[in-house]
Amino acid sequence: MFMSIRFLAMKSSSLYLLLMLAVSLVCLPADAKKKQREPKPIVPQRVWIYGCGVNFLDSVVFVTDIQYVDSAIIDREGQLENSYAYSSDLKFFVESRYAKENEACAVYYSPKLKAVEKRYARMKKRFASKHLVVNMIGGDSFQFTKQ
């Protein structure tokens, strides 16, 4: 009796392996036949953007108004192409206009105005809670240019 149970267990496990092999052979070609989706073309789109310049050894923070850039390119990962160019524009402006050095500048952007406004308000609130002097840069004195 012991031999027959062991034989049946071995027989059922080999059947199970054979069945799994058959299923995998049927499924593999089906996966290979799936069409790869064509990636969406990257087209220029409108983006709402603002910038912030901070020197970590100073208590003055420079913040631009929220501005509209009509032909910015956002890549497939959601990153703004040439964002370094926008931030370096702001850095050059702050360092030349206000005679500041070593400003670290960043830009924040989104195609949705409400998302940018929400982040803008949260950032200004954070600066106020840390007792930093916020120097607003108006749209009449600084504009982000198309890159």
Side-chain angles (χ1 to χ4, degrees):
M1 173 134 175
F2 179 69
M3 186 69 143
S4 63
I5 293 173
R6 186 173 174 191
F7 178 72
L8 288 175
M10 188 168 63
K11 189 174 180 182
S12 65
S13 65
S14 62
L15 282 175
Y16 178 74
L17 287 174
L18 187 61
L19 181 65
M20 290 303 290
L21 180 65
V23 168
S24 65
L25 288 176
V26 170
C27 293
L28 276 175
D31 285 344
K33 289 180 183 177
K34 285 185 182 177
K35 286 187 176 180
Q36 298 269 338
R37 282 192 218 171
E38 297 259 342
K40 287 193 240 178
I42 298 175
V43 294
Q45 58 181 309
R46 67 177 187 189
V47 172
W48 298 94
I49 186 169
Y50 73 93
C52 173
V54 179
N55 185 340
F56 297 108
L57 301 175
D58 196 2
S59 63
V60 178
V61 178
F62 297 94
V63 179
T64 67
D65 289 338
I66 297 174
Q67 298 175 13
Y68 173 81
V69 177
D70 64 347
S71 62
I73 296 176
I74 296 180
D75 64 13
R76 289 180 180 86
E77 287 82 34
Q79 300 297 318
L80 181 66
E81 278 195 7
N82 298 326
S83 61
Y84 61 88
Y86 291 105
S87 61
S88 64
D89 279 349
L90 179 60
K91 179 180 173 67
F92 178 74
F93 175 80
V94 169
E95 288 180 350
S96 63
R97 176 88 180 258
Y98 297 101
K100 295 286 186 175
E101 291 183 11
N102 302 321
E103 290 292 316
C105 294
V107 292
Y108 302 92
Y109 60 91
S110 177
K112 298 177 184 175
L113 178 61
K114 288 192 178 195
V116 171
E117 286 175 339
K118 185 177 178 181
R119 188 169 188 147
Y120 189 73
R122 192 173 45 202
M123 183 197 63
K124 285 177 68 176
K125 184 178 177 182
R126 187 177 302 141
F127 288 152
S129 69
K130 293 184 179 184
H131 306 292
L132 297 172
V133 177
V134 178
N135 191 351
M136 297 300 297
I137 300 172
D140 55 342
S141 61
F142 175 76
Q143 283 286 323
F144 288 106
T145 57
K146 298 176 192 177
Q147 301 298 325

